[in-house]
Amino acid sequence: MIPRLDTAPQLSAPYLAFLDALKAAGFRGDIETRYSERLSVATDNSVYQLLPQALVLPKDHEDVLLLARVAKGHPQVQFSARGGGTGTNGQSLNTGLVVDMSRHMRTILEFNAEEGWVRVQAGVIKDQLNDFLRPHGFFFAPDLSTSNRATVGGMVSTDASGQGSLVYGKTSDHVLGLRAVLVDGEELETRALPLAELERLPGRAGQLHRDIAKRLKDKRAQILETFPRLNRFLTGYDLEHVYDEALEHFDLGRLICGAEGSLAFVTEAKLHVNRIEPFKTLINIKYDSFEKALRNAPFLVAAKATSVETVDSKVLSLAREDIIWHQVKDLISEVPGHDMQGLNIVEFNDVDEAAQKAKVQSLCQRLDEALGGESGIIGYQLTSDLGAINRIYAMRKKSVGLLGNTKGSAKPQPFAEDTAVPPQNLADFILEFRALLDAKGLHYGMFGHVDAGVLHVRPALDLCDPQQELLLREISDQVVALVAKYGGLMWGEHGKGFRSEYAPTFFGELWDELRWVKSQFDPDNRMNPGKICTPLEGEHRLVSVDGPKRGALDRQIPVQVRDSFSGAMSCNGNGLCFNYDATSPMCPSYRVTGDRRHSPKGRAGLVREWLRLLAESGVNPDALEAGNRKLPFFNRLRNSLGSEYDFSREVKEAMDGCLACKACSSQCPIKVDVPSFRARFMNLYHQRYLRPLKDHLVANVELSSPLMARWPKLVNALLGQNWFQGLLKKTVGMVDSPLLSAPTLKDQLAGHDALDWDLASLASHPQKDKLVLVVQDPFTSFYDAKVVADLVRLIEKLGFVPKLLPFKPNGKPEHVKGFLARFNKTAQAAADFLNPLHALGLPLVGVDPSLVLCYRDEYRKALGDKRGDFQVLLAQEWLAKLPEEAFAALRQDSATAGRANAGSATLFAHCTEKTAEPTSEKAWQQIFDKAGLSLSVASVGCCGMAGTYGHEAEHQETSKALYELSWRGAVAKADTVLATGYSCRCQVGRMEGQKPLHPVQWLLEMS
């Protein structure tokens, strides 16, 4: 039996006192102190893990100002500002108080197109900002691989750059001004100021400007002598660019950019924005050697390219196994007779079409001359289509996550992966870097910005192994020496964080100047202490690469349990699940709540800690599952009614919010499959606690629906009563219960040959090659029966012989609610029924994507070899296999009836379907084309229903908010809405008052 886990770390007295004072002072943001909430910000995209005392999420600048002013009376409290949590070096991790700007501070405050600037709050996401700017013809230039979740505040704090930095520079090159708050509660506004104007600045901010300007002006010659001339110049405390000699301007903001929150809280930024260059071309150049791809980069830069990005064979191989490959394989197709070992992605931009064409043609001519030669070029492809270009960059941006999906316990780790050397030294530097790693027998992947001399190298280490953790330190030390040898910097774009201990090596005699700057801003070392540098006075220490790591905690979990729960353990924190895009299917629960616990990363982190605490208690969850021993009913009732602390309850809360849409299992680059480990957690959790009535109702829907369908009118009459719906909501927690189909499916097909069959007759059927077996599911067959009936009629119209299989429970509802023992039995019974039918060589076709795909995924995981070989096809998978002539009857009838151009239909695909089977939408379009009809595809995320999720009272508001997020507007624009998922059709019906058709029905109706 699962024990009560009651050992959550408590907040210390100074932090409790500060938070009480903050509330009393009128702080309007969120304050989170629960263990699960603190764990959600204990990690980022690095190898480190630090549990903070608490988390505060301010509403705006005034909230941050209030926080700092209250902090004056609580000198023991330390702070770390946090944005998107995408840092690869633990920059925002802290054991004090995390100040998270990402949840609320997402307002774009002001835009001036004439002057080319925008003013935003710190929590605005990079892609959000560019979506706002695009219609005005502008964009914010620094292009990060994490642009769909990285915040402007985080970009400022790490001085982020990325693709195209050769032309567009770093974030600091675009910062016109900052609004910030000092730890002593003083406000600070920065911009480029003439030196003479500094004398007129009032108060503490004025004195800070004057003191630092004088000091750094006096040290100017030494500063210029110390730092290498690199495109990726010094990150943080930028002593060089704070002063512009040509203009005699001083900009204190250049020190704050890249300071990782160690100087001030950045709350707002005024940013320079560029005009969009309308002409864009991408040339994807393929190589037979990664070394040759690197050595060829300067030649490409010299061709006046905007950017040159590179990807090695390891990343390409992983991309081929990911959902992303379906979107890019035609743009970087294989070269017959050659093994593609490297790829350079070259981009050209221009405002002048003729100039753009000239640059592209010139390079292509030179590439043609180089094909097959010593350059290693084996082919290239061009595209000027913006959608295609975006798909290529989506693959490149996914490189970080893809590397995390390598097989085995050793995973590529970020710790020495953004070194910057002069581009002409890059190939030689990388060859030595590779030799260093090869000598240690390590695997690694590489990708990056060869035009700027920055290549991301991630050695694969198993940090659960203490010896390999020591190897991280050894490699880090050796890379520092190697970077210095080639005249570079250890950190080209990802900041210092826990690598701050190496800063003195690169700053030399100027190290104390950094410490002096820190002393002026934060003399007591309260702002992200230990990062970048420490104040001159006091006994303060820098953080180290030896800092606390996730692996040290994970290794406390037995190996067999880690392997068993690999879906949770494999999460590397890349945070793609924090995707800002409302049209992305990835993790709807996070998108609508903004709560990081309600994300795949958050849920994976909670389950890992839950497993660690179980191991600490001497409990093996695998053994508990096998025994499946529940506490007696009254013990579970007492536990459920009790108020004792149990960390399992916090995990359960996060799991309850999951829609089980399974988008994470394919959208996440490392396939963190939350519904799978969620079901296992629920199964174990309810050995100790009672299940709510709604769980039993949902899990039994495949038993109750056939029974209720015997008297559909009577049941519907009861469901239609307001008092009964109120009773359901109050006692069971269900709302908007759907009505049964009346007439039933059996009545709609009364007298049809589809109902008349047995196994023997199928085997000897005279038209066996025309037989198609329709597999029922509980939702469509009993609540949307016309869809199944119309599928039968469509199959018949296409010249085939449909046979409707008797309804057999699928088990998906049981799995969603964690009734795993029951699910396994249901799955085995269904497999035993379907395998003999499959053995006849007859196609099995289902309607609802979620349940059809359950046969492929959950069945394989639960049954293994006992599942058998049966395959149930989605409707479009079967239809897409038919030759064009099979649709002749549909085209003819459509033309005769004058319906061929009867308005356009728009497909709204089920999120599970389009992520698990990424070609499904295209397949529907091809089918419609064969039928002489047009079909467009709506770019939407989750509708918010997700099976019965939207019918559960506790999720009703979240469900409706998700619909508003991306479906409402898209549905309003569509002439005819077609939806493949039963739950999606229910949601549209609930929200719009009219239930849409299934694509099968539209095909039938238009013919």
Side-chain angles (χ1 to χ4, degrees), residues 267-280:
T267 61
E268 296 173 13
K270 182 180 178 182
L271 307 169
H272 163 261
V273 292
N274 293 76
R275 285 201 174 274
I276 294 172
E277 294 168 311
F279 301 103
K280 181 177 286 193

Side-chain angles (χ1 to χ4, degrees), residues 889-926:
L890 297 188
R891 290 196 302 273
Q892 183 178 354
D893 288 354
S894 179
T896 302
R899 293 173 177 162
N901 297 307
S904 61
T906 302
L907 176 68
F908 288 71
H910 192 285
C911 51
T912 303
E913 174 185 28
K914 65 185 179 184
T915 53
E917 299 296 331
T919 61
S920 62
E921 293 169 319
K922 189 174 182 180
W924 276 118
Q925 288 182 305
Q926 292 169 343

Side-chain angles (χ1 to χ4, degrees), residues 101 148 150 165 211 254 274 318 337 378 454 619 701 744 785 952 964 991:
M101 314 281 189
N148 60 16
S165 66
D211 290 346
R254 296 301 290 244
N274 293 76
L318 290 166
I378 58 176
V454 175
V619 174
V701 71
T744 64
E952 297 178 17
E964 295 287 342
M991 303 298 287

